[in-house]
Amino acid sequence: MPSGNILVADDDAAIRTVVGQALTRAGYEVRTTGAAATLWRWIQAGEGDLVITDVVMPDENAFELLPRVKKARPDLPVIVMSAQNTFMTAIKASERGAYEYLPKPFDLKELLAIVGRAMSEPKARLRAPEPDDMEGMPLVGRSPAMQDIYRALARLMQSDLTVMITGESGTGKELVARALHDYGKRKKGPFVAINVAAIPRDLIESELFGHEKGAFTGANQRSVGRFEQAEGGTLFLDEIGDMPMDAQTRLLRVLQQGEYTTVGGRTPIKANVRIVAATNKDLRLLIQQGLFREDLFFRLNVVPLRLPPLRERAEDIGDLARHFFAQAVNEGLPLKSLEPAALERMKRYRWPGNIRELENLIRRLAALYPQELISEQIVVSELGLDLSREAGAFLSPQAGPAGASAPAPMRDADESLSMSVERHLTELFKAHGDKLPPPGLYHRILREIEYPLISIALAATRGNQIKAAELLGLNRNTLRKKVRDLDVRLMRSSR
């Protein structure tokens, strides 16, 4: 049975009671307090094998206390709880030496698992805090989906691990890559971004690795590539799924050997960059189609991060809207806000363009309307034909290599699922004109149907996989495998 002494500090007596009882039942000795001063006194006296503390205390902020704790007892693990639930909270907790950050409300089972891990790990792993000025908030949202992203980013800040960011267009992949750089160990180096899909295929290698004078027709002087420009910093490879095979081979060699040569050059150059890649495509499907190297995928997919589409984090729309309205004020536009009904309408919309579409809408609202309070009618008017997507069409014809969706026609109220699929497939083939869609259509369609079906079933059963499996008529183990393979985000219920 677990053992050890745990100090719990929170100004909320109910939380102290619940957490204390859970830890006591698990076999730990627990002391609780509602004051940071008492906690600090216990720590100075050498008490406690682990600390669990809220950020905001009546007499002192835990972030002010943490550096003193780490200096006095560097091996003492500290778990930070917070109801603020922002990206900066997670980053501050990590930078100041916290073992783990838990956004409120949290699952007691998760807390016990973290406590058990912290108590069993060698204490020397805990690093000293690195205080920093953390003004500004590059990522916005307090939903459970975003909390998972914040915590993952906080763990990655002090490493050079290669990160693969996946997500639909407009979900903020470059913003996450910049956050990894700006708050990481390479923040003093350059951040260099390259959109692979925007560069002609025959120039991609020169763009990445540079070229020597005379390497090819038109190479009148030596050119520095993005790898060299990003020396000591971060290289962000956006739309990596569009990289040609030849360039994939050269990129793999860099990742394996840590060096590269310019086009037309012979002298190896050491690569001192952190790689962050991103894509809105299914790379596993591209591997099956022979369009992406499997060995390169595994080299890039060291730490996968999936950014949820906006429809999976609708509770963040209010925070995002206020953020974009504030940005508009900084650009000289008048301050606006949304009526509750307008916000509710926006939460029901599916946002095919994700955060980018929301940002553009807010900018239009700030610029075009004189009233300070934006009504539901205005929002409906500005969303226009895109409201037809609120019905939830889930098969979108891919209109090009960037994966942009063609506008979906209005769904008939009596239209069956079969008719809806047939209509979307007809639009899909029309969108490609005389050409056929990319190979793998059968499996791609099944995957696109499976994801929303399983996701909605889990949402309807409030995340209960046993009930969801019964609803779907699947074996529970089969459902678990599909959740894992499809990377279905399991949402916590807020009810």
Side-chain angles (χ1 to χ4, degrees):
M1 183 178 242
S3 63
N5 186 277
I6 298 177
L7 309 178
V8 177
D10 197 303
D11 60 341
D12 188 325
I15 291 179
R16 292 200 305 270
T17 300
V18 170
V19 172
Q21 288 178 349
L23 292 169
T24 300
R25 285 195 300 268
Y28 300 104
E29 295 180 16
V30 182
R31 295 189 71 180
T32 65
T33 178
T38 304
L39 175 63
W40 174 235
R41 188 170 65 251
W42 290 344
I43 292 171
Q44 281 184 307
E47 296 183 33
D49 302 306
L50 179 141
V51 173
I52 301 174
T53 179
D54 190 22
V55 170
V56 180
M57 302 285 281
D59 50 344
E60 187 173 13
N61 188 294
F63 289 146
E64 298 169 358
L65 180 62
L66 259 173
R68 300 206 310 272
V69 174
K70 302 312 294 181
K71 184 176 181 180
R73 295 177 60 183
D75 292 342
L76 180 66
V78 179
I79 297 172
V80 171
M81 305 179 293
S82 175
Q84 294 176 328
N85 300 353
T86 67
F87 170 68
M88 298 311 301
T89 308
I91 295 301
K92 285 181 180 179
S94 176
E95 290 289 332
R96 283 155 177 75
Y99 177 84
E100 182 60 279
Y101 157 72
L102 268 179
K104 294 179 180 179
F106 51 81
D107 190 324
L108 284 174
K109 290 182 178 178
E110 183 181 13
L111 173 63
L112 292 174
I114 293 170
V115 168
R117 189 170 71 243
M119 296 288 276
S120 62
E121 286 184 2
K123 305 302 182 187
R125 72 171 289 282
L126 302 171
R127 64 176 184 272
E130 298 178 20
D132 256 328
D133 183 7
M134 290 289 182
E135 293 184 358
M137 188 185 296
L139 299 172
V140 176
R142 302 165 191 263
S143 62
M146 288 308 294
Q147 293 306 313
D148 291 340
I149 296 295
Y150 297 162
R151 293 169 65 188
L153 290 176
R155 296 188 190 106
L156 290 169
M157 291 305 174
Q158 299 308 313
S159 79
D160 266 341
L161 292 175
T162 301
V163 178
M164 171 68 80
I165 306 171
T166 58
E168 297 177 9
S169 293
T171 49
K173 295 186 287 294
E174 182 168 350
L175 202 61
V176 169
R178 285 188 178 275
L180 275 170
H181 173 79
D182 292 342
Y183 296 93
K185 60 190 291 187
R186 289 179 174 265
K187 60 187 173 185
K188 293 183 180 178
F191 177 87
V192 177
I194 178 172
N195 188 324
V196 175
I199 299 172
R201 298 174 69 87
D202 55 345
L203 295 179
I204 185 68
E205 290 187 52
S206 172
E207 193 73 23
L208 280 174
F209 307 110
H211 63 255
E212 301 297 326
K213 180 179 179 180
F216 50 83
T217 303
N220 299 321
Q221 59 184 10
R222 185 181 187 277
S223 175
V224 174
R226 301 301 177 93
F227 265 91
E228 194 169 342
Q229 292 173 9
E231 176 73 14
T234 302
L235 178 60
F236 175 52
L237 302 174
D238 198 8
E239 305 299 350
I240 191 70
D242 291 286
M243 179 174 281
M245 270 294 185
D246 289 347
Q248 288 181 36
T249 302
R250 291 202 63 175
L251 177 60
L252 176 64
R253 191 175 302 125
V254 177
L255 296 176
Q256 287 175 333
Q257 301 175 359
E259 59 183 28
Y260 63 95
T261 56
T262 59
V263 176
R266 295 184 179 181
T267 305
I269 302 172
K270 287 288 183 183
N272 177 24
V273 298
R274 181 188 196 171
I275 299 293
V276 178
T279 182
N280 62 3
K281 295 187 174 182
D282 184 345
L283 292 185
R284 295 183 186 275
L285 182 60
L286 294 182
I287 291 170
Q288 293 175 10
Q289 297 170 359
L291 300 175
F292 201 85
R293 293 187 60 128
E294 186 174 30
D295 45 5
L296 177 59
F297 170 77
F298 289 120
R299 284 281 180 176
L300 292 171
N301 201 49
V302 177
V303 180
L305 281 180
R306 175 186 175 269
L307 295 190
L310 190 52
R311 62 181 173 274
E312 290 183 12
R313 43 179 295 217
E315 60 265 57
D316 288 336
I317 289 176
D319 285 340
L320 286 163
R322 285 187 288 273
H323 174 74
F324 292 135
F325 274 134
Q327 282 190 338
V329 170
N330 292 336
E331 296 169 3
L333 294 171
L335 179 63
K336 304 291 173 67
S337 60
L338 296 168
E339 284 185 352
L343 179 58
E344 288 305 312
R345 166 67 76 170
M346 291 166 67
K347 287 181 178 180
R348 296 198 303 270
Y349 181 59
R350 286 187 61 81
W351 299 104
N354 291 295
I355 298 173
R356 187 179 297 124
E357 182 182 4
L358 173 62
E359 180 180 9
N360 290 339
L361 171 66
I362 296 300
R363 288 181 181 277
R364 288 201 305 276
L365 295 176
L368 299 180
Y369 293 90
Q371 51 267 63
E372 292 183 8
L373 196 60
I374 302 297
S375 68
E376 180 183 12
Q377 290 73 23
I378 292 175
V379 168
V380 169
S381 173
E382 281 300 322
L383 289 174
L385 294 176
D386 282 344
L387 282 175
S388 65
R389 303 192 192 199
E390 277 191 280
F394 50 81
L395 283 174
S396 299
Q398 297 299 313
S405 300
M410 180 69 77
R411 178 185 181 275
D412 191 293
D414 297 324
E415 185 179 49
S416 67
L417 177 62
S418 176
M419 293 166 62
S420 177
V421 172
E422 182 178 354
R423 175 171 54 79
H424 277 277
L425 288 175
T426 301
E427 293 297 324
L428 171 66
F429 279 87
K430 282 182 181 178
H432 285 82
D434 295 334
K435 297 181 181 179
L436 293 173
L441 181 61
Y442 177 82
H443 292 289
R444 188 161 65 248
I445 289 174
L446 289 184
R447 183 181 178 91
E448 289 195 37
I449 293 176
E450 265 192 321
Y451 186 95
L453 176 60
I454 292 175
S455 179
I456 291 170
L458 285 167
T461 58
R462 299 172 63 183
N464 188 316
Q465 293 192 40
I466 297 176
K467 290 183 179 179
E470 182 180 355
L471 173 66
L472 294 167
L474 294 175
N475 178 279
R476 188 170 62 174
N477 291 332
T478 301
L479 176 61
R480 283 178 176 171
K481 184 176 186 303
K482 288 185 178 294
V483 167
R484 184 176 63 252
D485 293 346
L486 294 170
D487 194 20
V488 176
R489 180 65 61 183
L490 297 177
M491 304 295 289
R492 303 176 192 169
S493 172
S494 58
R495 290 180 286 176

